[in-house]
mmCIF file of all heavy atoms in Angstrom:
data_model
loop_
_atom_site.group_PDB
_atom_site.id
_atom_site.type_symbol
_atom_site.label_atom_id
_atom_site.label_comp_id
_atom_site.label_asym_id
_atom_site.label_seq_id
_atom_site.Cartn_x
_atom_site.Cartn_y
_atom_site.Cartn_z
ATOM 1 N N GLU R 52 13.960 -18.108 -16.043
ATOM 2 C CA GLU R 52 12.816 -17.325 -16.468
ATOM 3 C C GLU R 52 12.509 -16.150 -15.605
ATOM 4 O O GLU R 52 11.951 -15.152 -16.037
ATOM 5 C CB GLU R 52 11.564 -18.225 -16.535
ATOM 6 C CG GLU R 52 11.690 -19.382 -17.564
ATOM 7 C CD GLU R 52 10.416 -20.228 -17.552
ATOM 8 O OE1 GLU R 52 9.511 -19.932 -16.763
ATOM 9 O OE2 GLU R 52 10.354 -21.203 -18.331
ATOM 10 N N ASP R 53 12.895 -16.206 -14.281
ATOM 11 C CA ASP R 53 12.542 -15.104 -13.385
ATOM 12 C C ASP R 53 13.702 -14.076 -13.294
ATOM 13 O O ASP R 53 13.727 -13.233 -12.348
ATOM 14 C CB ASP R 53 12.235 -15.639 -12.008
ATOM 15 C CG ASP R 53 13.408 -16.459 -11.430
ATOM 16 O OD1 ASP R 53 14.335 -16.786 -12.155
ATOM 17 O OD2 ASP R 53 13.318 -16.726 -10.183
ATOM 18 N N THR R 54 14.679 -14.100 -14.222
ATOM 19 C CA THR R 54 15.789 -13.140 -14.160
ATOM 20 C C THR R 54 15.310 -11.768 -14.594
ATOM 21 O O THR R 54 14.772 -11.596 -15.679
ATOM 22 C CB THR R 54 16.936 -13.575 -15.135
ATOM 23 O OG1 THR R 54 17.371 -14.894 -14.727
ATOM 24 C CG2 THR R 54 18.072 -12.610 -15.068
ATOM 25 N N PRO R 55 15.436 -10.713 -13.721
ATOM 26 C CA PRO R 55 15.055 -9.363 -14.093
ATOM 27 C C PRO R 55 15.922 -8.911 -15.290
ATOM 28 O O PRO R 55 17.042 -9.333 -15.478
ATOM 29 C CB PRO R 55 15.433 -8.546 -12.825
ATOM 30 C CG PRO R 55 15.429 -9.530 -11.719
ATOM 31 C CD PRO R 55 15.934 -10.818 -12.304
ATOM 32 N N HIS R 56 15.303 -8.007 -16.091
ATOM 33 C CA HIS R 56 15.946 -7.667 -17.357
ATOM 34 C C HIS R 56 17.319 -7.008 -17.143
ATOM 35 O O HIS R 56 18.284 -7.268 -17.861
ATOM 36 C CB HIS R 56 15.030 -6.735 -18.153
ATOM 37 C CG HIS R 56 15.512 -6.482 -19.529
ATOM 38 N ND1 HIS R 56 15.386 -7.387 -20.562
ATOM 39 C CD2 HIS R 56 16.229 -5.422 -20.059
ATOM 40 C CE1 HIS R 56 15.921 -6.905 -21.669
ATOM 41 N NE2 HIS R 56 16.434 -5.737 -21.400
ATOM 42 N N ASN R 57 17.389 -6.091 -16.161
ATOM 43 C CA ASN R 57 18.657 -5.418 -15.916
ATOM 44 C C ASN R 57 19.708 -6.359 -15.387
ATOM 45 O O ASN R 57 20.890 -6.201 -15.666
ATOM 46 C CB ASN R 57 18.480 -4.212 -14.911
ATOM 47 C CG ASN R 57 17.909 -3.051 -15.632
ATOM 48 O OD1 ASN R 57 18.595 -2.362 -16.361
ATOM 49 N ND2 ASN R 57 16.639 -2.784 -15.385
ATOM 50 N N THR R 58 19.280 -7.405 -14.654
ATOM 51 C CA THR R 58 20.233 -8.444 -14.257
ATOM 52 C C THR R 58 20.776 -9.200 -15.494
ATOM 53 O O THR R 58 21.965 -9.514 -15.609
ATOM 54 C CB THR R 58 19.593 -9.439 -13.278
ATOM 55 O OG1 THR R 58 19.100 -8.705 -12.147
ATOM 56 C CG2 THR R 58 20.578 -10.492 -12.835
ATOM 57 N N ALA R 59 19.880 -9.458 -16.492
ATOM 58 C CA ALA R 59 20.308 -10.115 -17.690
ATOM 59 C C ALA R 59 21.305 -9.258 -18.460
ATOM 60 O O ALA R 59 22.259 -9.738 -19.033
ATOM 61 C CB ALA R 59 19.082 -10.426 -18.555
ATOM 62 N N VAL R 60 21.012 -7.942 -18.504
ATOM 63 C CA VAL R 60 21.884 -7.011 -19.176
ATOM 64 C C VAL R 60 23.303 -7.055 -18.556
ATOM 65 O O VAL R 60 24.333 -7.112 -19.244
ATOM 66 C CB VAL R 60 21.338 -5.617 -19.178
ATOM 67 C CG1 VAL R 60 22.354 -4.597 -19.679
ATOM 68 C CG2 VAL R 60 20.069 -5.505 -20.005
ATOM 69 N N ARG R 61 23.316 -7.062 -17.192
ATOM 70 C CA ARG R 61 24.601 -7.083 -16.546
ATOM 71 C C ARG R 61 25.326 -8.423 -16.778
ATOM 72 O O ARG R 61 26.538 -8.453 -16.954
ATOM 73 C CB ARG R 61 24.382 -6.894 -15.012
ATOM 74 C CG ARG R 61 25.690 -6.647 -14.312
ATOM 75 C CD ARG R 61 25.440 -6.104 -12.881
ATOM 76 N NE ARG R 61 24.773 -7.040 -12.060
ATOM 77 C CZ ARG R 61 23.590 -6.889 -11.514
ATOM 78 N NH1 ARG R 61 22.941 -5.781 -11.741
ATOM 79 N NH2 ARG R 61 23.033 -7.803 -10.760
ATOM 80 N N SER R 62 24.623 -9.545 -16.895
ATOM 81 C CA SER R 62 25.244 -10.817 -17.172
ATOM 82 C C SER R 62 25.837 -10.814 -18.602
ATOM 83 O O SER R 62 26.952 -11.290 -18.822
ATOM 84 C CB SER R 62 24.199 -11.958 -17.106
ATOM 85 O OG SER R 62 23.746 -12.074 -15.758
ATOM 86 N N VAL R 63 25.145 -10.220 -19.521
ATOM 87 C CA VAL R 63 25.690 -10.054 -20.880
ATOM 88 C C VAL R 63 26.918 -9.223 -20.943
ATOM 89 O O VAL R 63 27.912 -9.571 -21.549
ATOM 90 C CB VAL R 63 24.582 -9.521 -21.843
ATOM 91 C CG1 VAL R 63 25.196 -9.167 -23.186
ATOM 92 C CG2 VAL R 63 23.458 -10.456 -22.021
ATOM 93 N N ALA R 64 26.901 -8.103 -20.215
ATOM 94 C CA ALA R 64 28.031 -7.210 -20.190
ATOM 95 C C ALA R 64 29.281 -7.879 -19.545
ATOM 96 O O ALA R 64 30.373 -7.748 -20.097
ATOM 97 C CB ALA R 64 27.712 -5.937 -19.429
ATOM 98 N N ARG R 65 29.069 -8.576 -18.453
ATOM 99 C CA ARG R 65 30.210 -9.232 -17.807
ATOM 100 C C ARG R 65 30.799 -10.334 -18.642
ATOM 101 O O ARG R 65 31.990 -10.467 -18.781
ATOM 102 C CB ARG R 65 29.765 -9.773 -16.420
ATOM 103 C CG ARG R 65 29.518 -8.700 -15.393
ATOM 104 C CD ARG R 65 29.010 -9.333 -14.131
ATOM 105 N NE ARG R 65 29.045 -8.418 -13.004
ATOM 106 C CZ ARG R 65 28.650 -8.733 -11.775
ATOM 107 N NH1 ARG R 65 28.189 -10.012 -11.566
ATOM 108 N NH2 ARG R 65 28.744 -7.862 -10.786
ATOM 109 N N ALA R 66 29.891 -11.189 -19.197
ATOM 110 C CA ALA R 66 30.387 -12.315 -20.051
ATOM 111 C C ALA R 66 31.090 -11.776 -21.259
ATOM 112 O O ALA R 66 32.142 -12.286 -21.668
ATOM 113 C CB ALA R 66 29.224 -13.197 -20.414
ATOM 114 N N SER R 67 30.513 -10.724 -21.888
ATOM 115 C CA SER R 67 31.117 -10.137 -23.105
ATOM 116 C C SER R 67 32.527 -9.644 -22.812
ATOM 117 O O SER R 67 33.465 -9.793 -23.612
ATOM 118 C CB SER R 67 30.248 -9.028 -23.610
ATOM 119 O OG SER R 67 28.999 -9.471 -24.023
ATOM 120 N N ARG R 68 32.715 -9.022 -21.600
ATOM 121 C CA ARG R 68 34.025 -8.449 -21.251
ATOM 122 C C ARG R 68 35.005 -9.592 -21.114
ATOM 123 O O ARG R 68 36.181 -9.504 -21.585
ATOM 124 C CB ARG R 68 33.897 -7.662 -19.970
ATOM 125 C CG ARG R 68 35.184 -6.963 -19.544
ATOM 126 C CD ARG R 68 34.924 -5.878 -18.569
ATOM 127 N NE ARG R 68 34.068 -6.297 -17.435
ATOM 128 C CZ ARG R 68 32.896 -5.798 -17.143
ATOM 129 N NH1 ARG R 68 32.403 -4.883 -17.862
ATOM 130 N NH2 ARG R 68 32.268 -6.257 -16.108
ATOM 131 N N GLU R 69 34.588 -10.751 -20.532
ATOM 132 C CA GLU R 69 35.527 -11.860 -20.388
ATOM 133 C C GLU R 69 35.926 -12.436 -21.728
ATOM 134 O O GLU R 69 37.071 -12.743 -21.993
ATOM 135 C CB GLU R 69 34.930 -12.958 -19.508
ATOM 136 C CG GLU R 69 34.922 -12.576 -18.037
ATOM 137 C CD GLU R 69 34.796 -13.818 -17.139
ATOM 138 O OE1 GLU R 69 35.377 -14.833 -17.467
ATOM 139 O OE2 GLU R 69 34.061 -13.748 -16.131
ATOM 140 N N PHE R 70 34.964 -12.553 -22.630
ATOM 141 C CA PHE R 70 35.255 -13.056 -23.968
ATOM 142 C C PHE R 70 36.214 -12.141 -24.723
ATOM 143 O O PHE R 70 37.132 -12.596 -25.369
ATOM 144 C CB PHE R 70 33.946 -13.253 -24.767
ATOM 145 C CG PHE R 70 33.054 -14.386 -24.258
ATOM 146 C CD1 PHE R 70 31.715 -14.198 -24.090
ATOM 147 C CD2 PHE R 70 33.645 -15.610 -23.966
ATOM 148 C CE1 PHE R 70 30.908 -15.255 -23.651
ATOM 149 C CE2 PHE R 70 32.832 -16.647 -23.502
ATOM 150 C CZ PHE R 70 31.479 -16.466 -23.360
ATOM 151 N N GLN R 71 35.900 -10.844 -24.678
ATOM 152 C CA GLN R 71 36.752 -9.887 -25.408
ATOM 153 C C GLN R 71 38.149 -9.791 -24.830
ATOM 154 O O GLN R 71 39.111 -9.524 -25.569
ATOM 155 C CB GLN R 71 36.063 -8.525 -25.423
ATOM 156 C CG GLN R 71 34.750 -8.524 -26.239
ATOM 157 C CD GLN R 71 33.921 -7.258 -26.072
ATOM 158 O OE1 GLN R 71 34.157 -6.477 -25.114
ATOM 159 N NE2 GLN R 71 33.060 -6.999 -26.997
ATOM 160 N N ASP R 72 38.255 -10.010 -23.533
ATOM 161 C CA ASP R 72 39.624 -9.947 -22.922
ATOM 162 C C ASP R 72 40.585 -11.001 -23.483
ATOM 163 O O ASP R 72 41.780 -10.877 -23.405
ATOM 164 C CB ASP R 72 39.503 -10.087 -21.383
ATOM 165 C CG ASP R 72 38.946 -8.828 -20.753
ATOM 166 O OD1 ASP R 72 38.969 -7.782 -21.395
ATOM 167 O OD2 ASP R 72 38.563 -8.897 -19.545
ATOM 168 N N VAL R 73 39.985 -12.092 -23.965
ATOM 169 C CA VAL R 73 40.834 -13.184 -24.525
ATOM 170 C C VAL R 73 40.831 -13.189 -26.028
ATOM 171 O O VAL R 73 41.250 -14.145 -26.675
ATOM 172 C CB VAL R 73 40.439 -14.547 -23.989
ATOM 173 C CG1 VAL R 73 40.620 -14.649 -22.467
ATOM 174 C CG2 VAL R 73 38.969 -14.885 -24.343
ATOM 175 N N GLY R 74 40.282 -12.124 -26.625
ATOM 176 C CA GLY R 74 40.351 -11.963 -28.073
ATOM 177 C C GLY R 74 39.175 -12.573 -28.816
ATOM 178 O O GLY R 74 39.269 -12.713 -30.077
ATOM 179 N N LEU R 75 38.104 -12.993 -28.168
ATOM 180 C CA LEU R 75 36.975 -13.538 -28.884
ATOM 181 C C LEU R 75 36.043 -12.406 -29.311
ATOM 182 O O LEU R 75 35.909 -11.348 -28.695
ATOM 183 C CB LEU R 75 36.226 -14.505 -27.950
ATOM 184 C CG LEU R 75 37.014 -15.764 -27.507
ATOM 185 C CD1 LEU R 75 36.159 -16.572 -26.517
ATOM 186 C CD2 LEU R 75 37.395 -16.587 -28.689
ATOM 187 N N SER R 76 35.346 -12.688 -30.411
ATOM 188 C CA SER R 76 34.399 -11.653 -30.960
ATOM 189 C C SER R 76 32.995 -11.929 -30.365
ATOM 190 O O SER R 76 32.583 -13.069 -30.216
ATOM 191 C CB SER R 76 34.330 -11.750 -32.476
ATOM 192 O OG SER R 76 33.978 -13.041 -32.931
ATOM 193 N N VAL R 77 32.309 -10.833 -30.056
ATOM 194 C CA VAL R 77 30.983 -10.892 -29.442
ATOM 195 C C VAL R 77 30.043 -9.970 -30.201
ATOM 196 O O VAL R 77 30.398 -8.889 -30.586
ATOM 197 C CB VAL R 77 31.074 -10.482 -27.967
ATOM 198 C CG1 VAL R 77 29.689 -10.557 -27.341
ATOM 199 C CG2 VAL R 77 32.055 -11.344 -27.187
ATOM 200 N N ALA R 78 28.809 -10.446 -30.422
ATOM 201 C CA ALA R 78 27.753 -9.643 -31.018
ATOM 202 C C ALA R 78 26.572 -9.635 -30.093
ATOM 203 O O ALA R 78 26.311 -10.639 -29.425
ATOM 204 C CB ALA R 78 27.367 -10.207 -32.381
#
Side-chain angles (χ1 to χ4, degrees):
E52 296 180 0
D53 59 348
T54 301
H56 189 78
N57 280 286
T58 302
V60 171
R61 193 166 65 242
S62 295
V63 170
R65 288 176 166 181
S67 298
R68 186 161 50 240
E69 285 201 40
F70 289 135
Q71 292 170 342
D72 285 345
V73 296
L75 297 175
S76 58
V77 180

